[in-house]
């Protein structure tokens, strides 16, 4: 059995001040305003149009959080801030934090949501703010480029020639899969607004001749095909159980005999109490989507079996489920 939490740890779990200080600083773009050369508070306040004495309080807290340095009256970026929180840096991750900040008010309605079961929003971010959604996908793409090729290799897709990446986002998986399997061609189906980013990432990877963009809504439009592989990566938690059942059935119809459906998602374990990150992500999905949910591998296996797939397996624990079309 795991040990009991200390009182300090309980307090720590309820402590979000530093979180909101960081998110607000990113929203105000404090780090970009400071950039490479330390500056006085008057200068920073002028650049971001803030109240000088109030801003000084925020900057001092950021110094204590090791995100800024302070020498005399001058505030500078720490090396981590310079690398990840200044907008023109190639390794800027602020978009992800801006998403967290944009979702702040939804979290404020968690109590009401738990009491009534009613959601705080009526659409997810890719519909309400495609620009923010794409910026977040661009950050996740940079991070995902490191793990994508290993994922592709573990799936052992040698011999497959046609891949459909449903809700493929920035094309992270399609690109990695095409890089690993030289005979593979891919189609990325996603909402038209998202595909503007995808077009760029595919061009950057030099894969325009092997990856095709398919603008559409996977719940409404035909999927095309036949394909050897259909991938659904991190899309099903935005949808209801029935929408997922219908989409899996549609994927089945778009596959050639012998073709595989691979579903990668954040699944909960049987008890619903792990993996720990996914239990919190489930609440995030509850407050920030209209009807999304984190499901169990068992649910995904049921969607596949009921759609006609055979050899349905949990390929990777709480992460990947696969089925083969007979
Ligand atoms: C969390 S991202 C996952 C992106 C990618 N599959 C990955 O694993 O990196 C969810 C993607 O689903 C797309 N999406 C959501 N609803 C969709 C719909 N109804 N039709 C097509 N794409 C959709 C979004 O635009 C977004 O790119």
């Amino acid at each position: 059995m795991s040990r009991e939490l200390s009182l300090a740890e309980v307090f720590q779990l309820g402590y979000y001040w530093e979180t909101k200080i960081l998110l607000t600083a990113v929203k105000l773009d404090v780090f970009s305003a400071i950039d490479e050369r330390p500056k006085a508070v008057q200068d920073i306040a002028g650049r971001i149009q803030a109240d000088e004495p109030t801003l000084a309080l925020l900057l001092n807290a950021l110094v204590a959080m090791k995100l800024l340095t302070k020498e005399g009256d001058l505030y500078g970026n720490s090396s981590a801030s310079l690398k990840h929180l200044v907008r023109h840096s190639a390794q800027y991750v602020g978009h992800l934090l801006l998403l967290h900040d944009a979702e702040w008010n939804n979290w404020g309605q968690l109590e009401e949501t738990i009491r009534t079961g009613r959601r705080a929003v009526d659409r997810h971010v890719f519909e309400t703010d495609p620009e923010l959604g794409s910026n977040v996908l661009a950050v996740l793409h940079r991070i995902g480029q490191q793990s994508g090729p290993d994922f592709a290799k573990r799936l052992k897709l040698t011999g497959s020639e046609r891949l459909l990446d449903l809700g493929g986002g920035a094309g992270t998986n399609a690109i990695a899969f095409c890089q690993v399997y030289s005979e593979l061609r891919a189609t990325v189906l996603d909402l038209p607004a998202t595909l503007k980013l995808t077009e760029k990432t595919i061009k950057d990877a030099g894969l325009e001749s092997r990856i095709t963009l398919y603008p559409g809504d996977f719940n409404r439009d035909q999927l095309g095909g036949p394909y050897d592989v259909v991938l659904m990566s991190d899309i099903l938690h935005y949808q209801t159980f029935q929408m997922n059942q219908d989409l899996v059935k549609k994927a089945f119809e778009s596959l050639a005999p012998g073709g595989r459906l691979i579903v990668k998602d954040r699944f909960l374990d049987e008890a619903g109490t792990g993996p720990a990150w996914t239990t919190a992500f489930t609440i995030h999905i509850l407050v920030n989507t209209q009807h999304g949910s984190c499901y169990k591998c068992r649910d995904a296996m049921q969607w596949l079996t009921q759609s006609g797939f055979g050899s349905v397996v949990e390929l990777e624990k709480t992460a990947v489920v696969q089925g083969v079309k007979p």
Side-chain angles (χ1 to χ4, degrees):
M1 213 176 102
S2 57
R3 68 178 179 81
E4 288 291 315
L5 288 180
S6 68
L7 178 58
E9 286 168 320
V10 174
F11 277 134
Q12 190 61 37
L13 285 172
Y15 177 64
Y16 58 82
W17 302 343
E18 290 181 341
T19 302
K20 190 56 175 162
I21 290 167
L22 168 61
L23 298 184
T24 303
V26 172
K27 187 79 195 290
L28 290 167
D29 213 7
V30 163
F31 304 100
S32 305
I34 297 173
D35 208 349
E36 288 182 0
R37 297 188 38 189
K39 297 181 175 59
V41 63
Q42 299 90 321
D43 186 349
I44 304 165
R47 286 169 192 261
I48 65 169
Q49 289 165 358
D51 177 63
E52 196 184 303
T54 319
L55 176 63
L57 303 178
L58 186 85
L59 298 180
N60 287 338
L62 292 167
V63 172
M65 289 161 65
K66 300 189 173 33
L67 289 163
L68 295 181
T69 59
K70 187 177 185 186
E71 285 191 26
D73 287 338
L74 300 184
Y75 294 93
N77 277 310
S78 69
S79 50
S81 300
L82 205 48
K83 197 162 152 191
H84 299 299
L85 300 175
V86 172
R87 265 180 192 269
H88 65 69
S89 163
Q91 295 177 72
Y92 179 72
V93 297
H95 295 303
L96 206 49
L97 303 175
L98 288 172
L99 174 66
H100 296 323
D101 198 54
E103 292 169 340
W104 185 262
N105 288 342
N106 300 341
W107 279 98
Q109 294 183 55
L110 179 58
E111 178 191 349
E112 183 69 7
T113 298
I114 300 287
R115 283 192 192 281
T116 63
R118 279 198 298 275
R119 305 289 182 108
V121 300
D122 59 4
R123 285 175 301 159
H124 57 62
V125 65
F126 297 106
E127 295 163 315
T128 54
D129 192 343
E131 191 184 338
L132 178 57
S134 288
N135 285 338
V136 170
L137 284 174
V139 173
L140 296 177
H141 175 65
R142 267 205 329 267
I143 298 167
Q145 275 174 313
Q146 283 145 33
S147 56
D150 276 347
F151 175 51
K153 284 179 201 157
R154 291 200 303 277
L155 293 172
K156 301 190 176 63
L157 296 177
T158 307
S160 304
E161 292 177 358
R162 298 155 299 181
L163 164 78
L164 171 64
D165 190 359
L166 263 184
T172 316
N173 287 308
I175 291 169
F177 284 32
C178 284
Q179 285 167 339
V180 170
Y181 300 102
S182 55
E183 71 280 21
L184 195 67
R185 289 176 175 271
T187 301
V188 178
L189 191 162
D190 208 300
L191 301 171
T194 306
L195 288 182
K196 284 186 210 145
L197 165 70
T198 324
E199 190 173 7
K200 182 179 176 309
T201 56
I202 290 170
K203 192 156 175 258
D204 289 349
L207 285 166
E208 302 102 302
S209 62
R210 288 172 57 205
I211 303 182
T212 309
L213 300 180
Y214 183 168
D217 178 329
F218 49 54
N219 291 316
R220 296 205 183 123
D221 299 322
Q222 296 303 312
L223 305 185
Y227 303 101
D228 302 310
V229 183
V230 173
L231 174 69
M232 298 181 180
S233 168
D234 283 331
I235 59 171
L236 298 185
H237 53 252
Y238 293 102
Q239 310 217 103
T240 64
F241 190 97
Q242 188 57 47
M243 288 165 89
N244 288 340
Q245 177 68 80
D246 295 345
L247 190 58
V248 167
K249 179 75 183 153
K250 221 163 151 181
F252 180 86
E253 281 152 14
S254 77
L255 278 163
R260 290 153 65 175
L261 171 63
I262 297 160
V263 181
K264 174 177 171 289
D265 219 289
R266 309 288 185 159
F267 295 113
L268 288 163
D269 62 19
E270 270 310 301
T273 55
W277 186 89
T278 308
T279 63
F281 183 65
T282 307
I283 307 298
H284 156 75
I285 288 294
L286 174 75
V287 293
N288 292 303
T289 71
Q290 175 192 6
H291 43 217
S293 186
C294 285
Y295 298 94
K296 297 179 179 168
C297 277
R298 179 162 46 92
D299 300 322
M301 292 171 89
Q302 184 183 327
W303 300 325
L304 269 73
T305 308
Q306 291 203 348
S307 298
F309 284 98
S311 309
V312 176
V313 285
E314 182 176 355
L315 213 55
E316 298 188 2
K317 202 166 162 44
T318 64
V320 183
V321 167
Q322 178 188 275
V324 180
K325 181 168 176 170

